Amino acid sequence: MADVVVPVSLALKGEQYAHELWRYKNAAGPQRHYFRTGLAAVLWRFLEAHEACVAHRCAVTGFDVVTTVPSTSGRLTHPLRAMVADMVGVTRDRHRDLLRATPTAADLGRSASPARYTASALWGEHVLLVDDTWTTGNHVQSAAAALKSAGAGAVAVVVLGRHLNRDYEATAAHVEQARLRRFSWDVCPVRSWAHR
């Protein structure tokens, strides 16, 4: 499992950010480029401000490699991979394709399983693993487990949006508490103070 999981923001079902996280994969033409560029800018700004804090939380000086969680739905090229490998300046030079979905990955449903992915061999490199949405976390945690099994040192997860459905159990109360804190680029999600 990952050493730390850090969502950039909540992605509430039916609201703008959740919509954008869906559209960047599913829109066509100029809209696709628009949503991908916007989310790449969000990731870039977040990592520029807070990647060092994420590394500090893992007790490492930084991340040697950045990779993404591959699709298990048969999508040949995932737009998140293109964003991290090509569009986001702070990840571009460290990006490596480390993970592959196994032939049985789609059959595993939403459960976390070390059989979902295989990873290229690592020799203690610290890995920043980027995913777009976290619903149950089972895919990204499966990917983190595969990286650890392949020899990774620390594995930190940064996820663009923590997907929440207000209608599920006590989620509405959690969302209202989160709204009181309000989003700010300067507020660190790992440390409990603002910094710049």
Side-chain angles (χ1 to χ4, degrees):
M1 299 294 184
D3 294 285
V4 65
V5 176
V6 183
V8 173
S9 180
L10 298 181
L12 303 176
K13 183 178 180 180
E15 293 193 10
Q16 179 182 349
Y17 195 53
H19 174 74
E20 290 181 13
L21 284 165
W22 185 85
R23 300 282 296 187
Y24 98 102
K25 290 189 280 194
N26 299 298
Q31 279 193 359
R32 175 172 46 208
H33 180 71
Y34 171 81
F35 288 113
R36 289 179 186 182
T37 302
L39 289 172
V42 167
L43 181 61
W44 192 336
R45 184 164 181 186
F46 178 83
L47 291 177
E48 210 165 50
H50 302 295
E51 183 178 342
C53 302
V54 176
H56 182 265
R57 182 65 177 262
C58 293
V60 299
T61 57
F63 298 103
D64 308 297
V65 182
V66 182
T67 196
T68 57
V69 179
S71 174
T72 58
S73 65
R75 187 187 302 264
L76 296 177
T77 56
H78 198 289
L80 182 63
R81 185 233 176 253
M83 287 167 42
V84 171
D86 302 324
M87 297 172 75
V88 177
V90 296
T91 59
R92 185 182 304 131
D93 294 338
R94 294 177 291 157
H95 176 266
R96 283 175 48 201
D97 290 316
L98 295 176
L99 293 158
R100 290 170 307 286
T102 62
T104 60
D107 301 333
L108 295 171
R110 290 190 169 196
S111 62
S113 172
R116 188 180 303 279
Y117 301 104
T118 59
S120 300
L122 294 157
W123 289 270
E125 292 102 322
H126 305 305
V127 180
L128 180 62
L129 178 60
V130 181
D131 203 4
D132 51 10
T133 57
W134 173 292
T135 303
T136 64
N138 289 326
H139 282 211
V140 74
Q141 290 289 22
S142 297
L147 290 166
K148 293 265 187 166
S149 293
V155 176
V157 170
V158 168
V159 60
L160 282 165
R162 170 62 173 103
H163 181 74
L164 290 174
N165 181 346
R166 240 186 250 91
D167 299 330
Y168 183 74
E169 294 182 2
T171 303
H174 175 71
V175 168
E176 290 313 309
Q177 284 189 344
R179 284 189 194 277
L180 292 174
R181 290 195 318 237
R182 301 184 56 111
F183 180 86
S184 168
W185 290 110
D186 296 334
V187 174
C188 183
V190 180
R191 299 177 181 180
S192 59
W193 61 86
H195 63 85
R196 268 291 184 198

